[in-house]
């Protein structure tokens, strides 16, 4: 049975889980999630993607271990993995669509953990028959959470500082990036913006910056790259993970807005905001009606 929980509640309570119970995903849960995945195909910015739930083929999980997660995941019962056709906004669309699956799974009681730089791309590429014109930016481990977090969970949570997320005044702005957006000025969009703040991101760097136009329900999404993800940085091979993060933020914003019956759509139309923008890169705009 699918969850009737509030999507905002699910987003607010979900966390990255790295230690799982040694149990397979139930047949009912597999059927529900696979049915849901079959309808997740096109991103809001036009990219085409396909996803699958990879589970063990029997009682042994050796087939899953061979995929490779470099020791950061224990006893995962499966992985959500996908492929997206290369396009200008393929990574944002991939993040949006995969987070849509993650939140659906979380609503069913499944634990999850995003993996960007800590999984073997070659193993998963074979598992999903990745084609030359496709990208595999990230995967998500899933299963039933162990009663107690493992050592890796504790270390990773402490290192990522997930309890110490940036606050509104450093992420959200009014008019340009010199004036912080107050919650009281966000109006009916205060909850969707807060759900962006709570969204998962690589190393919890929260690369999103949002500028609300004065007097309008128009929100411009910018990305501020972390130095190590830049060209020439230590993690240049996975630099587009922060574009995946932007897609995750887009899903959190849109889905929580829809739950509040706020109607709008995404468009790519750079407003040319420069005041306070610094190294921020424009990504997309939400136009509320």
């Amino acid at each position: 049975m699918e969850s009737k929980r509030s999507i905002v509640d699910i987003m607010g309570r979900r966390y990255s889980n790295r230690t799982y119970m040694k149990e397979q995903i139930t047949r009912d849960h597999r059927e529900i999630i696979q049915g849901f995945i079959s309808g997740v195909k096109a991103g809001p910015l036009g990219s085409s993607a396909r996803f699958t739930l990879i589970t063990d083929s029997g009682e042994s999980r050796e087939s899953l271990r061979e995929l490779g997660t470099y020791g950061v995941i224990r006893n995962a019962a499966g992985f959500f993995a996908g492929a997206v056709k290369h396009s200008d906004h393929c990574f944002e669309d991939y993040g949006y669509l995969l987070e849509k699956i993650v939140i659906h799974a979380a609503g069913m009681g499944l634990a999850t953990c995003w993996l960007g730089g800590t999984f073997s791309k070659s193993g998963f590429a074979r598992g999903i028959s990745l084609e030359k014109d496709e990208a595999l930016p990230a995967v998500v481990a899933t299963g039933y959470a162990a009663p107690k977090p493992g050592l890796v969970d504790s270390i990773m949570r402490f290192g990522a500082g997930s309890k110490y997320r940036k606050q509104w005044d450093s992420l959200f702005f009014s008019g340009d990036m010199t004036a912080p957006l107050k919650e009281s000025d966000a109006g009916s969009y205060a909850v969707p913006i807060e759900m962006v703040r709570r969204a998962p991101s690589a190393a919890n760097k929260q690369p999103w910056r949002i500028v609300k136009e004065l007097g309008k329900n128009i929100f411009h999404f910018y990305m501020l790259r972390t130095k190590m993800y830049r060209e020439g940085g230590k993690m240049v091979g996975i630099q587009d993970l922060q574009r995946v993060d932007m897609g995750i933020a887009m899903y959190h914003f849109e889905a929580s807005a829809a739950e509040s019956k706020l109607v709008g759509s995404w468009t790519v139309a750079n407003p040319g905001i420069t005041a306070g923008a610094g190294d921020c890169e424009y990504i997309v705009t939400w136009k509320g009606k």
Side-chain angles (χ1 to χ4, degrees):
M1 183 178 293
E2 296 186 47
S3 171
K4 299 299 182 182
R5 287 168 55 193
S6 159
I7 198 165
V8 169
D9 180 61
I10 296 170
M11 289 177 177
R13 292 176 182 273
R14 185 212 158 262
Y15 62 92
S16 296
N17 184 86
R18 298 171 181 84
T19 306
Y20 298 84
M21 298 173 65
K22 294 182 178 180
E23 293 183 11
Q24 293 183 341
I25 298 172
T26 67
R27 183 170 161 189
D28 285 348
H29 277 173
R30 285 200 311 269
E31 289 178 354
I32 291 171
I33 199 67
Q34 286 168 342
F36 183 80
I37 288 173
S38 67
V40 179
K41 297 178 180 179
L45 300 180
S47 306
S48 176
R50 57 186 177 89
F51 295 91
T52 189
L53 169 61
I54 302 174
T55 57
D56 54 78
S57 55
E59 293 185 3
S60 171
R61 295 194 177 182
E62 192 59 36
S63 58
L64 293 181
R65 294 192 190 99
E66 289 175 356
L67 291 174
T69 59
Y70 305 124
V72 300
I73 299 296
R74 293 188 61 190
N75 302 321
F79 293 90
F80 297 119
V84 61
K85 296 282 188 182
H86 286 289
S87 69
D88 289 343
H89 300 285
C90 61
F91 293 100
E92 292 89 348
D93 278 336
Y94 188 90
Y96 173 102
L97 293 172
L98 188 47
E99 182 67 358
K100 184 175 185 177
I101 294 170
V102 166
I103 295 302
H104 186 82
M108 294 165 50
L110 288 168
T112 55
C113 183
W114 276 85
L115 301 171
T118 52
F119 74 99
S120 169
K121 281 202 174 182
S122 59
F124 280 93
R126 289 191 298 271
I128 64 170
S129 300
L130 189 71
E131 299 179 1
K132 290 183 179 180
D133 63 343
E134 294 178 324
L136 169 57
V139 300
V140 172
T142 191
Y144 302 107
K148 294 182 180 180
L151 177 61
V152 173
D153 282 276
S154 300
I155 293 172
M156 296 290 280
R157 288 179 194 174
F158 177 80
S162 57
K163 292 183 179 180
Y164 307 101
R165 295 183 185 277
K166 293 180 177 67
Q167 298 304 308
W168 274 56
D169 58 2
S170 61
L171 296 173
F172 312 126
F173 303 90
S174 179
D176 57 34
M177 290 191 195
T178 64
L181 177 66
K182 297 178 181 178
E183 289 190 48
S184 58
D185 293 333
S188 55
Y189 278 90
V191 170
I193 292 172
E194 174 62 14
M195 289 304 103
V196 170
R197 193 183 75 86
R198 297 193 187 190
S201 59
N204 197 39
K205 294 300 183 182
Q206 298 174 268
W208 40 77
R209 301 292 183 270
I210 299 178
V211 179
K212 181 184 185 297
E213 286 196 11
L214 296 174
K216 299 178 182 178
N217 287 325
I218 297 177
F219 301 84
H220 304 293
F221 283 59
Y222 285 78
M223 177 177 65
L224 179 62
R225 282 197 190 276
T226 302
K227 186 175 182 180
M228 65 183 178
Y229 291 97
R230 294 177 183 276
E231 191 70 35
K234 293 180 181 179
M235 301 179 73
V236 64
I238 56 172
Q239 63 177 339
D240 284 311
L241 277 183
Q242 294 198 304
R243 286 175 56 196
V244 173
D245 293 342
M246 295 302 299
I248 294 172
M250 288 170 62
Y251 178 72
H252 274 231
F253 187 91
E254 179 183 322
S256 54
E259 187 166 81
S260 296
K261 303 189 184 318
L262 299 173
V263 180
S265 60
W266 297 107
T267 185
V268 178
N270 193 336
I273 295 172
T274 57
D279 293 331
C280 287
E281 175 184 342
Y282 171 77
I283 300 295
V284 69
T285 294
W286 171 268
K287 288 190 175 182
K289 295 181 180 179

